[in-house]
Amino acid sequence: MNKKILLVSTLLLVFFSTAFAAGASEKTENLISVTGTGVITIEPDTASISLAVVTYDEEASVSAQKNAELMTKVIEAVKAIEINDDDIATTNYNMYQESKYDREGAITSKLYRVTNNLDITVHKIDSAGDVIDAALLAGANKLSSITFYAKDTKKAYTAARTLAVQQATDTAKTLAKAAGCTLGKVRSISEQHNANVYRSDMMYMKNAVVAESAVASTPVSPGSTDITVNVNMSFTIK
């Protein structure tokens, strides 16, 4: 019995001695952590237009019928400007009753409002203004927004990543030199990225206003898109 206890004790002692020796052989690394940012500005080549047809009537079915007729005209009008079926999408359709009340709480009028929202993708960005004009003249009376963006951003992201890593590395070298250290290998790297698209919000336009404003061509300015990449990097220092 005593021999077994002695044997177990010896094995445990050997285990802890080995673990201690392994831990002692590992050196704690000194690290320096930095961030870098790369920004590439590109020209957008695509526009996304959000608009709607809004109709009212005392009868729900009549309001829906009016809306359907106007939206059909809107779609036909934008198709005439070389907009494909795949680039036209209904994003929302809703109907609800709007009621007005007098001071006594009695209903003075009630109308059914039908809203049909449409998103149109314009690949020929110079045609964006023409698409808006055609939609308004055909019956669209709510223009929510127009967004410009670039379809292919792969090369821009690659360039932005390269710039971000270069900036982070240069910063690390400067800090290490100022501290009297030598910069070593990269120990970790992570990134965050985003594309800042240009978006213009439009106000709700009543039919009478649309009829007057659509006479002149709608000017649009695509602006630019910034591709931004941020990196966090850690280096060893000696």
Side-chain angles (χ1 to χ4, degrees), residues 17-233:
S17 298
T18 303
F20 178 78
S25 63
E26 294 180 359
K27 295 182 180 179
T28 302
E29 290 185 324
N30 294 317
L31 301 176
I32 183 172
S33 298
V34 293
T35 60
T37 301
V39 181
I40 298 294
T41 300
I42 58 177
E43 297 299 322
D45 54 24
T46 308
S48 178
I49 301 169
S50 297
L51 53 82
V53 171
V54 183
T55 53
Y56 297 87
D57 199 89
E58 294 179 354
E59 297 292 333
S61 59
V62 175
S63 184
Q65 182 62 33
K66 288 179 180 179
N67 198 291
E69 292 173 356
L70 285 174
M71 184 54 80
T72 298
K73 292 179 180 179
V74 169
I75 292 174
E76 289 176 350
V78 298
K79 281 184 178 180
I81 313 178
E82 300 181 359
I83 301 297
N84 299 322
D85 288 337
D86 293 341
D87 296 320
I88 302 172
T90 298
T91 56
N92 186 42
Y93 183 95
N94 65 70
M95 174 193 293
Y96 67 91
Q97 187 184 76
E98 290 186 352
S99 300
K100 293 183 179 180
Y101 302 85
D102 59 20
R103 294 181 178 180
E104 285 71 34
I107 296 178
T108 58
S109 67
K110 62 179 182 179
L111 294 173
Y112 287 93
R113 172 174 172 167
V114 177
T115 303
N116 191 351
N117 295 87
L118 201 68
D119 275 2
I120 303 170
T121 301
V122 183
H123 297 288
K124 294 181 179 180
I125 202 167
D126 293 337
S127 301
D130 295 333
V131 172
I132 292 173
D133 292 339
L136 296 181
L137 287 171
N141 54 1
K142 183 179 180 182
L143 189 56
S144 302
S145 68
I146 177 169
T147 303
F148 298 97
Y149 62 93
K151 293 189 294 291
D152 187 4
T153 58
K154 184 176 180 180
K155 291 182 179 179
Y157 272 113
T158 298
R161 288 186 178 102
T162 301
L163 288 176
V165 171
Q166 288 176 347
Q167 186 188 87
T169 302
D170 289 342
T171 300
K173 288 178 179 178
T174 300
L175 292 175
K177 183 178 179 180
C181 301
T182 302
L183 194 67
K185 296 180 179 179
V186 177
R187 278 291 175 255
S188 67
I189 183 170
S190 62
E191 74 159 38
Q192 300 85 38
H193 60 264
N194 70 284
N196 299 320
V197 299
Y198 177 82
R199 183 174 184 271
S200 176
D201 293 325
M202 307 295 182
M203 61 181 178
Y204 176 78
M205 306 176 73
K206 294 190 178 297
N207 290 327
V209 178
V210 170
E212 295 175 2
S213 64
V215 174
S217 178
T218 300
V220 294
S221 177
S224 59
T225 299
D226 287 340
I227 303 297
T228 304
V229 174
N230 297 303
V231 297
N232 300 311
M233 299 180 68

